[in-house]
Structures are given as structure tokens and as C-alpha cells.
Amino acid sequence: MVTFLKHAKSRNYTSEFELCRQEAVPVEFGEYHPLKPITVTESKTKKMGRKGSTSSTSSSSSSSMIDPLSSVLDGTDPLSLFAATADPVTTAATTDSTRKKRDKDDILAVGSDFEPWSSKRGEILARYTTTEKLSINLYMGSEKGKATTPGSAVSEKVRTRLEELDDLEEGSQKELLNLTQQDYMNRIEDLNQSLKDAWASDQKVKALKIVIQCSKLLSDTTVIQFYPSKFVLITDILDTFGKLVYERISSMCMDNRGSLPDNFTPESVNDTAKETCLNWFFKIASIRELVPRFYVEAAILKCNKFLSKTGISECLPRLTSMIRGVGDPLVAVYARAYLCRVGMEVAPHLKENLNKNFFDCLLTFKQMHGDTVQNQLVVQRVEIPLYLTLYSPAIDWILQCIAYRAPEILLTEMMERCKKLGNNALLLNSVMSAFRAEFIAARSMDFIGMIKECDESGFPKHLLFRSLGLNLAMADPPECDRLQILNEAWKVITKLKNPQDYINCAEVWVEYTCRHFTKREVNTVLADVIKHMTPDRAFEDAYPQLQSIIQKVVTYFHDFSVLFSVEKFLPFLDMFQKESVRVEVCKCIMEAFIKYQQEATKDPVILNALLHVCKTMHDSVNALTLEDEKRILASLINGFIKMVSFGRDFEQQLSFYVEARSMFCNLEPVLVQLIHSVNQLAMETRKLMKGSHSRKTAAFVRACVAFCFITIPSLTSIFARLNLYLNSGQVALANQCLSQADAFFKAAVSLVPEVPKMINIDGKMRPSEPFLLEFLCNFFSTLLIVPDHPEQGVLFLVRGLLNVIQDYTWEDNSDDKVRIYTNVLHLLSAMTQETYIYHIDKVDSNDTLYGGDSKFLTEINKLCETVIAQILDHLKTLGQEETLKRQSQLALYFFNSILAHGDLRNNKLNQLSVNLWNLAQKHGFADTKTTVKTLEYIKRQSKQPEMSHFTELALRLPLQSRT
């Protein structure tokens, strides 16, 4: 057996460090360096007229510096070349026209600051619901509506189409009664899909019938409180129809040049497309009923672009006038809203039509209080305040379109109109919703005065104050008015009897209060909310609004000592009695704390409050809690733990960690964090004492070590336990707690046999051997400096770990065991050195304890012989054909270890290395690049002093080709 460590290479680590250090090369001023700023080279290129001739290029630069990118392009800049080829006159003209067009588009087009209809859709559907039963007329297709077969004559097809047009509004229908709201929405969605299917199967007339029948539903107000949601659902179908028709006609204009550009003119549209477009308008004109005729024509308004430049501008006033024939004011106002919506999409610059729609809308306000409407409300048992809120989405949209990028003077004009109408609350609410928040905030007191004068029996005043509050949350009123505004608003809000009305309004004004006032005013508002929402447990129906209030409070109060000194803040939290909601609120508070708390704290008010919050989150964890949720909760609690610091009062800090361990024992990541924090505390104590502990600090450090030792076994993750045993042992060693360090390392050694073959990582099962290999390599690095126990044998920890490795059941196709043994040889080689490569201050390692004693070296040599025997035996087992590649890789790996750590002047060791080299190349599986580089390294080393024996070794290492 080769005695590896009798002939281990004697290492001079200091000289090796110096040898490996990179050589410093002075850089002269002006010399090229890749990190210096690059000077852009301007290229002047003369374009030659002859085909195939090369362009002559002259470059001028303010510096002689070489640009590494330009060298590839012969000093030319490709962008400069491109610019040089353009005619400067043409370029200037094009740039100018492009700029003018862009400026014009910016004025006319709707920008990203315009809130689209799609963003309002969900809110309307959620707000305007009903429990009443609904009815719907469904179009039932007939044979006439089906596409004709290819064999049908053209005349037959034409006659069938004419018959269908005659019967356009009298097709087979089926009335569905007693539908719930969800059933009704599902039926509308079915109709939308039927429309697409009919269109796809070329049944255009059937598609039109579906759209007409859907449009008729907008005349029906039998369940009036559902009308806004019905409008949203039906106009979705109209939008689909309008898009299908437009795309159909647009596709007919395609030719060799491709599709039509966005800014096409009617002259570029072919006659077939124009005829088809006219045909659609003629079909729609034959619809007898006003409401469906209006909606279907409005849906395809954009198609006028195919016919004439002024088509849209001519149609809009006509459609606006058509709405005057609609008798029901609610139906009429939503028709105007739809026309404004379509108009903003196709012609946003035609503001005069928007204004006309709005003025017509004002004229219908008197109808709302007429006998017809009042009788309808009595039949349906709908109160007038509720009825007026149905108008809000439509009027809000119309005013939003008018107010878009409008000057402030328009707001003044609108306010005057409101006053002339006797401060119509419905209009006033829409004005506050439509105009920019800055304009509204500047006139806050004026609006409050107008709100006061509104009729109490009409549109609810609290909704007006809510709209004003939403504006004040986005823009600041004049400073001198802020307190008066709050007082005036809260006088109205606090008198609200209905808890839902109250909380909807209070939620908005809490943000205004937090934004402009101190904790005193916020405390008053929170107290008022508690007072209104506690009776009859009204808070149970208002959790979303209450959550929103908490969110706003923590957003504006970044100083948590101030926040928790708000007397009513914690009683406010007590209203969240549903566990899932309470946990979400606690998460919100912790996220704000981690985000805004800049410095570590020891404030007892903050600590007590947040411990209560974190305890609430922790106690919500049960067997059904998802791993992701546990991870989020643990992350928030860990963020809190990291922000707690008692300065130099380390004992108080440790007491806090002990308390936290008892409170958060069900979240493993929190326990891991606590162990790391306690280890850090021990190292901070060592740093403070500069490594020389007093009796008191030594006892404190041992208490920290004991905390870790009793906490680690409670963890379920085996690799978390292994790594924490190792880390805690290193901390104990650094603090001269030698017996405690031994206990940690023994625990780690005894835990290795329990490592399973597969472990769960992020929900997936992975082999554990790579992680075990990594851990053991780290462990070996620590064992180098661990002194032997006087009552134990030589290298008792290393021996124990080797026994565990030997007994561990490794995978059959794995070579990790041999790689571990090779690393053990590195460790044993380092242990034979006179002075170890690293030490721990004030801890004597074995190099000091044994002083190179021959008995100690003999023990190491025995271990080495055992390890080498294991490695060579494993290499023999890999002699089968299917494992030859693994044998080659391991042989080369072992060869490199001998090369780095062995003294190759010994003949037996030299011969072993040659045998391993030949074995690595024997069957042609060795990596040629690696072997070549290894041989080059040996030849370079042979030129070093005392390394001349490498010359002979290099001659004995042949390079064999794979052939």
C-alpha cells in the first residue's frame, strides 16, 4: 500500500499565496484600456454611382483612441453610413411632416390618461345586481338562415336572403322567463358566442338578427335596477358585431399591397367593399324599431370611413337626434353614453357632438320626476334615490368624454349649469367624477356649498361627499380650507344611519384625514368608525372597506411608534373577527413595517403590538395551510425579528429571541432565523470583547450556544439541521466553547445516516447526495482546525465521520462516496503540515497541540491507507464496459489530488500517479482538453525550484488518442 501521507507535499502556504496573486501591470496614461470611455467616430461616406464599386470612407475623430467595435467595421459607424445615404432635403421634409402628424395625432387621439370603458365594466356589473327574475327573447334559427350549399343557384340564394330581410324582426323567438341574474348573463354570453359562430359559418343575416334581438332588450326596463349591467352585457355583443363587420369590409380591400393602412382614405377602398358597406347600412335602415336601429348603426359607425371622409361627422348628429325619440329617460341616457363611447373611439376630435349629447341629457332630467317614471317606480317598488343612482355610469361617462383634456374654465361652466338646475345632485356627482382632481380640489368649498343646497329626497348626499373625497385623496385642497372641509364632510357622514352607506363614505375620507392631519384627528375618525360599525356586528358585512382603512392608515403613518400610540388603532383591529380577514390585515401591517421601518427598534410599544400581530399570523397556521402561505407568513415574521435590536443589551436581545421561539414554534423558517440571529449575537459579543471573554460574557455565549443546541432538533428539514449544527459549532469554536462545539459536531455526525435518498425541494423530489457531498466538504474544512478532545482518541471526529460515510447506503450508479474520500485525503494532507492554512484566534488546533508528533502522523497515515484502499477498490469495480467512462473520470480526479497534495519524489506514489493517468486514458474516455492542460501544467511546474522531478513525471505520462 502506498503511504500517501508519509510523502504528502510539504506546503508553504504563504509563498503559494504570493505565487497565485495576479501580477500588477502599470498602465501608462493614454494607453488603450477596454474600460476607458469610447469616443464615437463620425464617418463621412461618399456614395459611388457605379454598381459594385466600393465606397470611400473618411473618418474624423477628436481622439486617436481605438474603438474595439469600430475595428470590425473598418472604422465606420453603420448608423452614420445609413444616414449618409439619405437625401438631406428629403430627410428634413419627412421629419417635419412626421412631427406635424404626430403632434396632430396627440391632439386628436385618446391618450393613455383617458380611462377606458373596459375599466368601468367590472365595477358596473358588480354594483348593479338584482334578485328579481328576468326574461329574455332568444332568436331560434330556421332553415332559411343556414348557408346555402355550393350547388344552389345564385338566384335561389338571393331570393332566400330577400325573404330573410323581410322577416328580419319576426324570426322564430323563444321567450325564457324566470331567469336568475347569473342565468341571464349566461344566456347573453351564449348569444355572443352564437353571433360569432353564425358569422364564422357565413350566416350574416342570422348574425344580424341576433344583434337586433339583443338591442331590443335595451328597451326593456322591467327590472330597472339591473339596467346598467344589462347595458354592459348587450353592448359587448354590439361591439363584437361592429368589429366583425369592419374587419370583413377591411379584408375585402386587401390586394397585393397588403391590408389597408390605419389612415386610409375612401379613394383607396374598392367598389366591392363600398357596395358591401352600403348594403350593411341599408339592412340596418330597414329595422323598424328605433332603439335597435340606433344601436346597430352606432355599432358599425366606424365603417363610414370606407364610404366618405365626412361620413362619421355627418352620422353622429343624426344619431344624436334619433335618441330624442326615445321616451324612457334611462334608456335615452344610456343610448347617449353608447354613442359617446363609439364616438370617442372613431372621432375623439368631434367634441361638439359630445356637448350636444350632454345638453340633450340635461333636458331629460325633468322627465325623471314625471308621472310615467314615478308610476313605473311604484310598480317595481324602487325608491327615487336608488333610481337616480342608475344614471350615474352613463352620465359619468358622457362627462368624462367632455372633460377629457378640457380647460378648467369648462368646470366653471358646468358648475353654473348645476346651479341653474337647482344644484341637481345627479349632475353634480358626475361633474366631480369626470373632471380632473386638481380642478375639483381647488374648488372644494364651492362644491360643499352646492352639496348642502341639494335636495335631500333626491340623489343621496353621502354619495356626493364620497365623490368629493375621492378627488381630495388624489389632489390637495387649499391649506386654509382643509380642516373646514373635513368638519363639513364628517358632519354629514357621522349622521348616516345605514352602516353600509356610512362605511363606504368613511373609507374614502380616512385617506384625506391621514394625508393632511395628525394622529389626533385620525384617532377621532377611527373611534367614530368603531362606534358606527360595532352595533349588531355591522363590521362583518364591511370587511373590504375596513381593510382598506387599515391599508390607508399604514400607508401614511410610517412611524410605527406614532401609529401604535393612536389609541383606537388596536381596538379597530379587534373588529376583524373572521380569521382569514384578520390574517390579511396583519400581513398588510407587517408589510408596511418592513417597507417603511428604516432603523432597528426596541420601542416596547412597537414590539408588543407587532408581537401580537405576528402571533395572530402564526396561530392561523394549521394542517391545511399551503406551503406558499407558510413561506409568506414566515418571511414577514422574520422581517420583524431582524428589525429588533436592543443595542448592547445582549441579554435583553436573547430574552426576546427566547420569547419569539415560544411564540412562533410552528413556522420552521422562523426558528431557523432565530438560530442564525442568536449565533450572530454570540459573534457580536466576541467582537465587542475582541475575542477575550470575561466570566460574564463567556456565560452569556454559552447560553446562546445552548439556545441553538436545544432548538435545532425541533426542525424537520434534515439539511437545515445539519447546516445549523455545523454553523453553530463554528460559532461555539470561535467563542472558545470547545466542549459545546464538539457536541454540535457529534450531533452532525450522528445525523448523517438519517439523510434520506430523496428530499423535497420546492415541491419536487430531488436526490440528496449532491447536497450531502456539499455539506461534508464544508464539514471537512471545519474539522481541520477542531482540536482533539483530551479524553477521546486521535481525530475521533474524523474517524466517526468516516465510519458513517462507510456505512451509508450510496446509490449504485453514484461516485460521490469516492469523491468524499478524495476530499478526506485533502483534509488529512493538510493535517500533516507543520502549520495549518488557517486558524481560529485563541483556539489551539492540532498543529499546535501535537507539534508534528510522529504518533499523530502515524495515526493519520493509517487513516489514509484505509481511504486509498477504498478508492482503489471502487475503481476496480468500475471495470465493466458500461462504467468505463466513470472509471476514467474518477482516475483522473484522483490523479489530480495526488498531483496537488502528494510528494511525487517518492517512487511508489509516482508510480501510482502514472498508473492512474494510464487508467484514465486506457479506454479512450478521457477528456482530451483536460489531459492536455494537465500535462502543460506539469511541464510548467517542472521549471519551478524544487519541482524538477515533474520533468521526469511528464515524460512518463503519454497522451493517447481515442482511436
Side-chain angles (χ1 to χ4, degrees), residues 917-936:
W917 178 269
N918 292 331
L919 180 62
Q921 299 191 93
K922 183 175 181 181
H923 300 285
F925 287 106
D927 182 51
T928 307
K929 288 184 181 180
T930 304
T931 53
V932 168
K933 287 182 179 179
T934 304
L935 197 54
E936 288 174 356

Side-chain angles (χ1 to χ4, degrees), residues 655-676:
S655 298
F656 170 77
Y657 292 144
V658 171
E659 183 182 1
R661 180 179 63 183
S662 66
M663 294 177 74
F664 310 127
C665 55
N666 289 334
L667 288 172
E668 188 159 309
V670 178
L671 295 179
V672 171
Q673 177 60 46
L674 287 170
I675 293 167
H676 284 307

Side-chain angles (χ1 to χ4, degrees), residues 621-623 625-635 667 669:
V621 175
N622 54 45
T625 306
L626 298 175
E627 289 300 319
D628 282 346
E629 178 69 8
K630 289 181 184 178
R631 197 176 296 115
I632 291 169
L633 296 177
S635 174
L667 288 172

Side-chain angles (χ1 to χ4, degrees), residues 37-45 57-84:
I38 296 172
T39 304
V40 178
T41 305
E42 182 184 357
S43 300
K44 298 177 181 177
T45 307
T57 306
S58 60
S59 302
S60 62
S61 175
S62 58
S63 171
S64 60
M65 190 181 297
I66 302 170
D67 176 3
L69 298 180
S70 297
S71 61
V72 182
L73 302 165
D74 299 327
T76 60
D77 173 11
L79 296 179
S80 300
L81 284 171
F82 177 73

